[in-house]
């Protein structure tokens, strides 16, 4: 009887967490569709199909980067995190705090949008300090800089509150007392693999704790930089920081935020593969060890973004290169374990497995391309080319976004009875995402190898081996359109299953009652 009550309680917890997770994930998917239209517009201009102008291009580039990249790292991956935490720990969330985080993020993104649409802020998602202040009034407004800074600060606050909530939930799983709580966090980081414990954490928790600890540390320097920008744009334009220090402060956050995307996505992959496999997790102790390594190296790799900066000390560059090699071990072991789980596992290839499996192979390609550009010698050639754009789209789009979609497919049928997402349209969605997505990002990779520069609003004057670059861009537009249509099909399917069919069902019930 007690076990039945506990099972019912766990089911209730999972459904409650699933609803809040879907609230975050559906918000992200809406941002994903809007940001995708922005990206397609920019790519179409580079392909010489349309012309929106230089300033609008860079406004779109700034908003696209913030909404797609940071939006995926917040709404998308936080949604995944909430569900995984409750699913594997059987511990309730602090729903008032989780809901507050949601609205803090909404306000932050609203201000970022206002800074672009009305303040014409166009310094890029990375905003390359002190460019925002020097270009103010000439290319965009000072109040636009202030609004952007305030919006980013709110998003940063949301991230910090998220990390605290993750650590609180994990600590609560350890039981009462400070010692037990701290022990749970240490075990949840990955040390559970070597510690003597009768109640082992699920491996899905390891990347979430590593991510929470790192983002709690890495977000603080960015917040300080944003405060400086806000003061410089509102009180005293001469107030500022050394450029070298400012760039290091940004990238100390700028690379960990990449893993704010990847780590929760890996947690989702771990969960999906374990759910669909009939095997125990392969290499539990090793998996724990790599997440301890990940938490350390993630805070040391920021320097590989600054190889070409003349003020950056060579030892820092070497440290960044070595740390990048170190964090690649995390990817290698995770991919090996995930693929091992499918060997003779009796896998049923439902959409959650298909989309996470797609993400694994993008992870391989994205990882190898990342190692290439993290090598100091190769970076001299690749740094300002479209290779960089292709690399982070491999991760953000083909690994993380596809895993977020997999989690929507995974959660919805478990929360809403009678919803049918696993049909022929899910297969169409998968193949259009696979063909369109891989084709789209690999056009960038090829252009990068050919030396095509990034951040150019127009490509009509560029050619490589007598091939006009807009011709290559056109190929990218075609693949991006296929990708976009696939997401549109998925959006319509979700709307039909969760809105139209439910309205019809309510109508039938009302008629029967009447």
């Amino acid at each position: 009887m007690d076990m039945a009550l506990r099972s019912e309680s766990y089911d209730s917890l999972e459904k409650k967490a699933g609803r809040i997770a879907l609230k975050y994930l559906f918000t992200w998917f809406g941002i994903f569709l809007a940001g995708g239209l922005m990206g397609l517009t920019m790519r179409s201009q580079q392909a010489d199909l349309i012309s929106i102008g230089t300033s609008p291009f860079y406004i779109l580039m700034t908003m696209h980067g913030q909404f797609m990249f940071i939006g995926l790292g917040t709404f998308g991956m936080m949604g995944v995190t909430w569900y995984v935490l409750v699913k594997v720990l059987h511990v309730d969330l602090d729903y008032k705090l989780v809901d507050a985080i949601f609205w803090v993020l909404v306000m932050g993104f609203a201000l970022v949008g206002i800074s672009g649409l009305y303040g014409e802020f166009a310094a890029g998602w990375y905003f390359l300090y002190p460019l925002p202040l020097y270009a103010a009034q000439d290319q965009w407004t000072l109040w636009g800089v202030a609004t952007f800074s305030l919006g980013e600060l709110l998003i940063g606050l949301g991230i910090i509150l998220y990390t605290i909530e993750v650590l609180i939930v994990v600590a609560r799983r350890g039981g009462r007392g400070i010692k037990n709580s701290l022990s749970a966090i240490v075990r949840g980081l990955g040390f559970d693999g070597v510690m003597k414990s009768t109640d082992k954490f699920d491996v899905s928790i390891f990347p979430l704790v590593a991510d929470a600890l790192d983002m709690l540390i890495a977000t603080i320097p960015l917040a300080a930089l944003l405060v400086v920008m806000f003061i410089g744009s509102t009180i005293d334009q001469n107030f500022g920081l050394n450029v070298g220090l400012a760039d290091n402060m940004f990238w100390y956050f700028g690379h960990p935020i990449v893993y704010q995307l990847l780590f929760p996505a890996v947690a989702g992959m771990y969960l999906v593969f374990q759910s669909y496999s009939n095997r125990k997790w392969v290499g539990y102790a090793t998996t724990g060890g790599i997440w301890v390594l990940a938490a350390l190296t993630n805070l040391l790799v920021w320097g590989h973004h600054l190889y070409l900066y003349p003020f950056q000390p060579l030892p820092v560059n070497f440290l960044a290169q070595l740390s990048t090699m170190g964090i690649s071990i995390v990817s290698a072991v995770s991919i090996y374990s995930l693929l091992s789980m499918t060997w003779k596992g009796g896998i049923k290839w439902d959409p959650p497995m298909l989309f996470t499996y797609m993400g694994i192979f993008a992870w391989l390609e994205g990882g190898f391309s990342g190692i290439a550009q993290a090598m100091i010698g190769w970076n001299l050639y690749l740094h300002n080319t479209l290779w960089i754009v292709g690399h982070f789209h491999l991760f953000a789009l083909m690994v993380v976004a596809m895993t977020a979609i997999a989690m929507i497919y995974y959660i919805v049928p478990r929360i809403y009875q009678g919803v049918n997402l696993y049909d022929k349209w899910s297969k169409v969605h998968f193949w259009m995402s696979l063909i369109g997505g891989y084709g789209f990002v690999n056009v960038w990779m090829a252009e990068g190898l050919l030396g095509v520069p990034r951040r150019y609003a127009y490509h009509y004057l560029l050619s490589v081996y007598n091939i006009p670059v807009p011709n290559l861009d056109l190929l990218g537009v075609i693949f991006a359109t296929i990708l976009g249509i696939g997401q549109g099909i998925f959006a319509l399917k979700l709307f039909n299953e969760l809105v139209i069919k439910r309205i019809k069902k309510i109508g039938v019930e009302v008629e029967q009652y009447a």
Side-chain angles (χ1 to χ4, degrees):
M1 181 67 178
D2 181 56
M3 288 300 294
L5 287 173
R6 287 179 65 190
S7 177
E8 182 181 352
S9 176
Y10 292 161
D11 289 343
S12 176
L13 287 177
E14 182 182 349
K15 288 181 179 179
K16 194 175 178 183
R19 291 188 184 96
I20 194 71
L22 289 174
K23 177 180 177 179
Y24 273 77
L25 283 165
F26 287 158
T27 302
W28 160 73
F29 192 66
I31 292 172
F32 182 56
L33 294 177
L37 287 174
M38 295 180 197
L40 184 60
T41 300
M42 291 186 291
R43 201 70 171 133
S44 297
Q45 174 166 297
Q46 292 175 332
D48 209 16
L49 296 174
I50 62 173
S51 179
I52 61 172
T54 302
S55 292
F57 178 91
Y58 289 112
I59 291 172
L60 278 185
M61 187 175 74
T62 302
M63 292 177 61
H64 170 81
Q66 285 290 329
F67 279 70
M68 294 290 270
F69 193 64
I70 309 299
L72 179 56
T74 52
F75 290 113
M77 290 301 100
M78 287 181 187
V80 172
T81 298
W82 304 138
Y83 183 77
V84 172
L85 281 174
V86 175
K87 175 76 172 176
V88 303
L89 292 181
H90 306 302
V91 175
D92 214 354
L93 300 172
D94 302 287
Y95 284 97
K96 288 185 178 180
L97 177 58
V98 171
D99 201 50
I101 293 170
F102 179 87
W103 289 109
V104 167
L105 293 174
V106 168
M107 289 188 291
F109 279 102
L111 289 175
V112 170
I114 291 170
S115 74
L117 291 174
Y118 300 103
E120 300 182 332
F121 185 74
W125 77 270
Y126 35 77
F127 55 87
L128 293 174
Y129 180 90
L131 174 64
L133 297 176
Y134 277 92
Q137 305 301 340
D138 178 27
Q139 309 226 3
W140 49 78
T141 62
L142 273 174
W143 74 261
V145 178
T147 304
F148 178 85
S149 301
L150 186 57
E152 289 287 284
L153 280 167
L154 285 173
I155 294 170
L157 174 61
I159 292 173
I160 289 174
L161 292 175
Y162 157 81
T163 65
I164 292 171
E165 171 65 359
V166 171
L167 295 175
I168 287 174
V169 172
V170 174
R172 191 180 296 144
R173 180 66 169 75
R176 296 182 178 180
I178 296 177
K179 183 178 180 181
N180 289 335
S181 296
L182 292 177
S183 175
I185 293 172
V186 171
R187 289 170 49 214
L189 177 60
F191 284 101
D192 216 5
V194 294
M195 293 175 69
K196 293 181 179 180
S197 173
T198 57
D199 184 21
K200 296 287 188 181
F201 278 113
D202 187 283
V203 290
S204 304
I205 294 301
F206 298 160
L208 297 180
V209 175
D211 173 56
L213 290 171
D214 283 354
M215 291 310 302
L216 186 60
I217 296 169
T219 305
I220 295 172
L222 177 71
L225 176 59
L226 289 166
V227 169
V228 170
M229 273 181 49
F230 183 79
I231 293 172
S233 59
T234 56
I235 300 174
D236 182 5
Q237 282 188 264
N238 294 319
F239 185 83
L241 288 172
N242 174 275
V243 174
L245 175 61
D247 283 326
N248 276 276
M249 290 169 69
F250 175 82
W251 285 112
Y252 195 75
F253 166 87
H255 199 91
I257 190 62
V258 174
Y259 292 103
Q260 166 68 25
L261 276 70
L262 182 61
F263 288 3
V266 176
M269 286 182 176
Y270 285 178
L271 174 64
V272 169
F273 271 66
Q274 288 183 99
S275 295
Y276 276 86
S277 175
N278 294 319
R279 303 187 62 190
K280 292 182 179 180
W281 185 258
V282 177
Y284 183 88
T286 305
T287 302
I290 63 169
W291 287 106
V292 176
L293 175 66
L296 175 63
T297 54
N298 188 24
L299 296 174
L300 300 175
V301 298
W302 86 95
H304 71 210
H305 292 272
L306 300 168
Y307 287 158
L308 297 187
Y309 282 38
F311 52 74
Q312 198 71 359
L314 189 60
V316 175
N317 287 343
F318 279 127
L319 176 64
Q321 180 173 289
L322 289 172
S323 297
T324 306
M325 304 304 109
I327 207 164
S328 67
I329 297 172
V330 180
S331 298
V333 173
S334 290
I335 291 171
Y336 173 81
S337 295
L338 287 164
L339 293 177
S340 297
M341 294 291 288
T342 62
W343 177 253
K344 295 183 178 180
I347 299 296
K348 185 178 180 182
W349 294 97
D350 286 338
M353 277 299 298
L354 289 172
F355 277 88
T356 50
Y357 222 74
M358 185 199 315
I360 286 177
F361 290 97
W363 192 359
L364 276 169
E365 184 183 356
F368 282 121
S369 65
I371 290 174
Q373 68 197 45
M375 301 295 289
I376 295 172
W378 286 16
N379 189 269
L380 293 173
Y381 177 78
L382 296 172
H383 186 81
N384 280 317
T385 72
L386 286 173
W387 175 282
I388 307 298
V389 181
H391 163 71
F392 67 70
H393 276 80
L394 269 169
F395 266 110
L397 173 62
M398 298 308 296
V399 181
V400 184
M402 293 303 119
T403 301
I405 288 170
M407 291 303 295
I408 293 175
Y409 272 117
Y410 184 87
I411 297 171
V412 168
R414 287 166 170 78
I415 303 303
Y416 300 106
Q417 291 183 348
V419 173
N420 178 28
L421 292 181
Y422 301 179
D423 59 6
K424 65 179 181 180
W425 291 112
S426 66
K427 295 178 181 178
V428 171
H429 179 209
F430 169 75
W431 285 108
M432 294 187 79
S433 298
L434 179 71
I435 295 168
Y438 271 115
F440 175 50
V441 296
N442 280 299
V443 168
W444 266 325
M445 301 297 289
E447 287 180 311
L449 279 177
L450 294 170
V452 178
R454 56 176 170 159
R455 300 179 185 143
Y456 275 35
Y458 290 98
H459 284 174
Y460 63 85
L461 295 177
L462 302 175
S463 64
V464 289
Y465 297 103
N466 295 319
I467 302 172
V469 171
N471 290 1
L472 299 174
D473 295 331
L474 178 59
L475 186 60
V477 168
I478 293 171
F479 281 120
T481 302
I482 294 171
L483 173 68
I485 292 172
Q487 308 323 305
I489 290 172
F490 183 47
L492 290 174
K493 179 67 177 177
L494 285 170
F495 187 75
N496 182 59
E497 291 290 332
L498 296 177
V499 179
I500 301 299
K501 285 188 175 181
R502 296 184 80 184
I503 290 174
K504 289 181 179 178
K505 183 179 178 181
I506 292 171
V508 170
E509 291 175 350
V510 169
E511 287 181 3
Q512 290 176 345
Y513 180 77

